[in-house]
Amino acid sequence: MIACDGWYGTGVTVSESVKAIITSPNFPLDYDNDKKCIWRVSTSDAGLIIKATFNEFDLQYNTGSGDCPFDSLTFSDGDSSGGDVIGKYCDTIYPEVIYSTENGMYIEFQTDSFNTYKGFEVTVSAVDRKS
C-alpha cells in the first residue's frame, strides 16, 4: 500500500503487470483531520492509460451543500493539478472504476477539521487505451 506523503505528492509508477494500492492515511482506521495527500500515478508506456478501481470508500457525508465541501477524493488527468478533473467524490457515492485519458493520473485527498471516517482503498494500474 502506498501511504500519503503530504503536499508535494507521492510518485506511483504502474504498468500492465504492476498494480499499486493507494489508501487514505491510517486505513482501515479513520483518517486524520486537516490532511492533504497527493499521488501522481504514471506509466512509461504512452499507449496505456491509468485505471483506478475502488475497493473501499467512506468519506464525510455531503449533507447536500455543494460539490463535496468537506472531505473529498479528486481524480484528474495527467500528473499535475492542472489536468482536467475526471471526478470528485465524497460520502459513500463513487463509481466502481475511473479511467484517465492520458498515461498519468493526479489523485488528491483533502480533509477538513471536523469529522473523520474510514477512508478509501483504490487499486491503480495501467491498461491498453483500447480496452
Side-chain angles (χ1 to χ4, degrees):
M1 287 195 249
I2 300 174
C4 170
D5 195 17
W7 292 82
Y8 296 104
T10 301
V12 180
T13 303
V14 295
S15 66
E16 287 182 294
S17 61
V18 176
K19 297 178 182 181
I21 296 175
I22 295 172
T23 66
S24 52
N26 308 323
F27 183 84
L29 303 175
D30 287 4
Y31 51 79
D32 299 321
N33 284 322
D34 296 317
K35 196 76 171 171
K36 181 174 181 177
C37 300
I38 295 168
W39 296 270
R40 300 169 191 274
V41 183
S42 63
T43 182
S44 59
D45 187 334
L48 301 178
I49 58 174
I50 306 300
K51 174 183 177 182
T53 306
F54 284 87
N55 305 319
E56 302 246 359
F57 189 79
D58 183 22
L59 301 187
Q60 185 173 357
Y61 299 111
N62 185 14
T63 70
S65 57
D67 183 30
C68 299
F70 308 115
D71 302 344
S72 62
L73 185 63
T74 305
F75 295 80
S76 300
D77 257 331
D79 62 359
S80 71
S81 61
D84 291 337
V85 173
I86 300 167
K88 183 175 183 179
Y89 306 99
C90 56
D91 205 330
T92 58
I93 302 167
Y94 61 93
E96 186 175 321
V97 178
I98 297 173
Y99 294 95
S100 68
T101 61
E102 302 178 15
N103 65 339
M105 182 182 281
Y106 182 88
I107 303 172
E108 182 177 320
F109 177 56
Q110 180 77 49
T111 70
D112 65 11
S113 58
F114 296 104
N115 300 309
T116 62
Y117 292 79
K118 183 176 181 179
F120 64 88
E121 180 183 89
V122 174
T123 300
V124 290
S125 60
V127 296
D128 191 302
R129 208 176 278 276
K130 299 171 188 142
S131 303

